[in-house]
């Protein structure tokens, strides 16, 4: 009995240690990223020890239309739903686009240094995935030019990796983690995060825009089911980024409606439902006309209690019909912007800079001469590197095995592969489990991803991990893959099974 008790205690201690290690991976601290990158310190966004206030604007069209060759078309400059003249490529478009930021940095208050931009669009018909997959050179030329000129203008970029048009029924497939569309979305996001992980001008990755809207969740499990999906999705993508913060936009001003009345009363309990493990910066979208101080004070209190920065990713004064006759009845909101930035708890991005009854931002819209970049224009983006010469993946793991099971957990061990076969040190693991049978190369992408609390060690040594949080009395199959720095991924390992107690 004493031996059995000791073994049980040892197993549970391993489980608790695993939980603690995994949790620590979700906290992006200054020591866990390169210098020059933004990081969260309590409710503040910091860079190299100094707080960074941020204000800016959204644009859902600029990147998309540029990719499709409709150069100049965008939502912001020189006016709403406008078109910048005289541009004929991604490079010339973004060069001119960020010169408008330079202008408003001289004339506007607060100073604009933030750009939230849709770079993953129309995932319902998979246009964005197919564009990236079929023509990565064109896709990355657009993105590289945007980053180059944003950096030259001192503007941080928040790439929104997937828009959420809730009126399209096939969008709901992205809430099914076994669907091909979901697998494609995860593949796209991880590829983007990996490619640009060394780019400090990216403030944070916005991994999904408003997955809480559209009428799906009231009939599919409500807020509990939503949180389970959001936690899993965040875990599936975030390990691809070492240096950047992660955020996810929520339409919180209509949250109770979007969850069929299942939300708690407006307050801290309500706000905490959107505080997800793996999300570094909480994000809400606010459209209103009420200038009540409690709108600010409540969120400041919640952010301080939760201990994270709070990003108002979309802000608009939405008087309707427009008192100024604006073509889009959502405008700049000076009162909210000023009050929010004074709190120091996070950035704010206007949906538009139009005058919809509270005044436009600065002298918007502006179509006069634009300033040059300080110090002259930077050099164009370097050409893409040649294909990697290394084509040898790590050796396939063939001895993955279950060594113990317990109440809702399984412990596994295997031998570490190398970088090239069994030579050198592999770069990363992709560990997965399923309740549907053995995991193979064909179905690996549909199995549930688990973030391991370590990277591959030296080849030939034994590795082990406890997988907690599993359903009791259930048979699970496990498998893993390893990659090198290219990345070259090895084949899926053998797939042992174990039944929890």
């Amino acid at each position: 009995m004493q031996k059995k008790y000791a073994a049980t205690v040892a197993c549970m201690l391993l489980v608790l240690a695993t939980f603690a290690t995994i949790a620590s991976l979700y906290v992006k601290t200054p020591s866990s990223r390169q210098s020059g990158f933004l990081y969260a310190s309590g409710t503040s966004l910091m860079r190299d020890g100094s707080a960074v206030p941020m204000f800016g604007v959204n644009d859902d069209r600029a990147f998309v239309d540029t990719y499709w060759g409709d150069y100049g078309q965008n939502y912001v400059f020189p006016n709403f739903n406008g078109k910048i003249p005289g541009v004929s490529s991604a490079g010339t478009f973004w060069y001119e686009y960020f010169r408008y930021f330079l202008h408003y940095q001289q004339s506007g208050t607060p100073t604009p240094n933030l750009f939230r931009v849709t770079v993953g669009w129309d995932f319902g018909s998979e246009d964005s995935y197919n564009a990236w997959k079929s023509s990565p050179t064109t896709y990355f030329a657009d993105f590289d030019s945007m980053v180059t000129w944003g950096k030259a203008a001192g503007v941080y970029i928040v790439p929104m990796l997937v828009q959420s048009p809730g009126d399209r029924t096939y969008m709901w497939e992205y809430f099914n983690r076994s669907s091909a569309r979901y697998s494609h979305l995860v593949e796209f996001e991880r590829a983007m995060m990996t490619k640009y992980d060394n780019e400090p001008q990216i403030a944070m990755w916005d991994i999904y825009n408003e997955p809480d809207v559209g009428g799906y969740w009231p009939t599919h499990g409500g807020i509990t089911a939503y949180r389970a999906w959001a936690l899993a999705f965040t875990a599936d993508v975030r390990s691809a980024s070492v240096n950047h913060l992660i955020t996810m936009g929520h339409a919180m001003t209509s949250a109770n409606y979007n969850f069929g009345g299942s939300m708690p009363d407006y307050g801290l309990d309500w706000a905490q439902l959107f505080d997800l493990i793996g999300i570094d910066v909480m994000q809400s979208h606010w459209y209103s006309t009420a200038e009540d101080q409690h709108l600010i004070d409540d969120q400041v209190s919640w952010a301080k209690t939760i201990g994270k920065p709070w990003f108002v990713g979309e802000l608009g004064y939405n008087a309707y019909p427009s008192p100024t006759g604006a073509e889009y009845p959502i405008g700049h909101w000076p009162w909210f912007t000023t009050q929010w930035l004074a709190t120091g708890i996070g950035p704010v991005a206007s949906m538009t800079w139009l005058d919809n009854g509270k005044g436009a931002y600065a002298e918007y819209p502006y179509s006069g001469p634009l300033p040059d970049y300080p110090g002259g224009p930077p050099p164009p983006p370097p050409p893409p590197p040649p294909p990697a010469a290394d084509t040898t993946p790590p050796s396939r793991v063939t001895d993955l095995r279950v060594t113990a099971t317990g109440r809702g957990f399984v412990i596994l061990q295997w031998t570490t592969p190398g970088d090239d076969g069994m030579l050198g040190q592999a770069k990363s693991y992709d560990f997965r489990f399923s309740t549907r049978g053995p995991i193979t190369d064909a179905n690996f992408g549909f199995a549930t991803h688990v973030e391991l609390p370590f990277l591959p060690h030296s080849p030939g040594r034994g590795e082990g991990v406890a997988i907690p949080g599993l359903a009791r009395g259930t048979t699970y199959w496990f498998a893993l893959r390893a990659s090198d720095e290219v990345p070259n991924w090895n084949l899926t390992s053998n797939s042992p099974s174990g039944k929890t107690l």
Side-chain angles (χ1 to χ4, degrees):
M1 180 66 71
Q2 290 179 338
K3 290 182 179 180
K4 182 178 180 181
Y5 175 77
T8 301
V9 170
C11 287
M12 293 313 297
L13 288 173
L14 179 57
V15 171
L16 290 172
T18 302
F19 267 128
T21 306
I22 292 174
S24 70
L25 292 176
Y26 286 131
V27 180
K28 296 287 187 75
T29 62
S31 61
S32 67
R33 60 161 56 81
Q34 300 178 36
S35 64
F37 286 78
L38 290 177
Y39 61 90
S41 178
T43 58
S44 298
L45 287 177
M46 310 286 288
R47 179 174 181 173
D48 297 335
S50 299
V52 182
M54 287 189 287
F55 162 76
V57 70
N58 282 265
D59 198 323
D60 288 337
R61 294 196 63 175
F63 182 90
V64 180
D65 283 73
T66 299
Y67 173 83
W68 291 120
D70 189 4
Y71 300 117
Q73 185 67 55
N74 69 94
Y75 265 147
V76 186
F77 303 125
N79 55 314
F80 178 75
N81 202 21
K83 190 163 188 175
I84 297 174
V87 295
S88 57
S89 66
T92 56
F93 168 72
W94 290 114
Y95 172 85
E96 293 297 330
Y97 190 93
F98 284 104
R99 289 179 73 195
Y100 284 93
F101 273 89
L102 292 175
H103 166 77
Y104 286 108
Q105 287 170 0
Q106 296 176 0
S107 65
T109 302
T111 301
N113 62 346
L114 179 67
F115 180 45
R116 182 172 179 260
V117 55
T118 300
V119 301
W121 69 94
D122 208 359
F123 261 82
S125 58
E126 301 208 282
D127 279 358
S128 187
Y129 173 79
N130 292 330
W132 162 75
K133 196 75 171 177
S134 63
S135 183
T137 301
T138 305
Y139 192 93
F140 290 133
D142 191 359
F143 198 96
D144 290 343
S145 294
M146 177 179 68
V147 172
T148 294
W149 296 111
K151 181 184 295 186
V155 176
Y156 286 100
I157 297 172
V158 179
M160 183 167 52
L161 291 173
V162 57
Q163 183 58 271
S164 179
D167 59 333
R168 302 176 182 181
T169 55
Y170 41 57
M171 287 302 297
W172 311 134
E173 293 183 35
Y174 292 97
F175 301 141
N176 176 4
R177 295 178 65 241
S178 64
S179 74
R181 292 183 191 276
Y182 180 90
S183 180
H184 290 166
L185 175 60
V186 170
E187 179 189 1
F188 167 75
E189 294 207 359
R190 291 183 64 86
M192 291 294 293
M193 291 180 182
T194 299
K195 179 173 176 62
Y196 291 100
D197 199 40
N198 291 321
E199 178 48 68
Q201 209 61 30
I202 295 175
M204 62 192 86
W205 293 106
D206 192 336
I207 60 175
Y208 207 117
N209 182 62
E210 298 186 354
D212 53 324
V213 306
Y216 176 83
W217 297 108
T219 57
H220 292 80
I223 187 66
T224 301
Y226 166 74
R227 279 183 55 82
W229 171 86
L231 285 165
F233 174 63
T234 304
D236 283 344
V237 300
R238 81 157 294 135
S239 63
S241 178
V242 174
N243 291 311
H244 291 117
L245 299 166
I246 303 294
T247 188
M248 181 188 293
H250 292 100
M252 295 180 72
T253 49
S254 56
N256 201 45
Y257 170 80
N258 289 314
F259 289 102
S262 64
M263 296 284 289
D265 291 338
Y266 185 79
L268 178 60
D269 290 342
W270 176 85
Q272 285 177 324
L273 292 173
F274 297 95
D275 173 28
L276 303 169
I277 295 174
I279 296 295
D280 303 296
V281 180
M282 297 185 64
Q283 184 184 160
S284 60
H285 299 165
W286 287 91
Y287 297 95
S288 183
T289 57
E291 297 193 343
D292 295 331
Q293 186 62 36
H294 78 82
L295 291 173
I296 306 294
D297 295 341
D298 287 350
Q299 292 174 84
V300 171
S301 174
W302 302 337
K304 289 181 177 179
T305 301
I306 293 169
K308 294 181 180 180
W310 194 305
F311 175 28
V312 179
E314 296 178 14
L315 176 66
Y317 187 80
N318 65 340
Y320 183 84
S322 171
T324 63
E327 60 179 303
Y328 187 56
I330 294 176
H332 178 57
W333 196 352
W335 175 85
F336 194 110
T337 300
T338 301
Q339 297 297 103
W340 185 265
L341 290 175
T343 69
I345 67 167
V348 57
S350 300
M351 194 60 192
T352 79
W353 283 344
L354 290 168
D355 178 6
N356 191 41
K358 289 294 180 177
Y361 172 65
E363 74 276 39
Y364 186 87
Y366 172 79
S367 57
L370 298 171
D372 291 326
Y373 287 87
D390 179 8
T391 59
T392 304
S395 61
R396 177 175 179 258
V397 173
T398 59
D399 65 345
L400 181 63
R401 59 200 179 276
V402 173
T403 59
T405 61
R407 293 164 62 91
F409 69 90
V410 173
I411 299 175
L412 301 100
Q413 293 181 347
W414 66 94
T415 301
T416 310
D419 179 294
D420 297 330
M422 287 299 290
L423 300 176
Q425 190 163 338
K427 179 73 171 179
S428 64
Y429 282 128
D430 188 346
F431 193 98
R432 303 205 175 214
F433 68 79
S434 174
T435 59
R436 299 182 178 182
I439 301 171
T440 66
D441 287 324
N443 62 17
F444 186 84
F446 299 122
T448 300
H449 174 79
V450 177
E451 191 68 35
L452 296 184
F454 52 82
L455 298 174
H457 294 96
S458 301
R461 64 168 281 179
E463 305 263 54
V465 69
I467 307 299
L470 304 177
R472 296 182 58 187
T474 303
T475 298
Y476 288 85
W477 284 263
F478 302 87
L480 63 84
R481 298 177 67 188
S483 77
D484 60 16
E485 73 284 354
V486 174
N488 295 308
W489 287 92
N490 62 5
L491 296 176
T492 302
S493 71
N494 63 304
S495 185
S497 64
K499 186 174 182 179
T500 57
L501 304 180

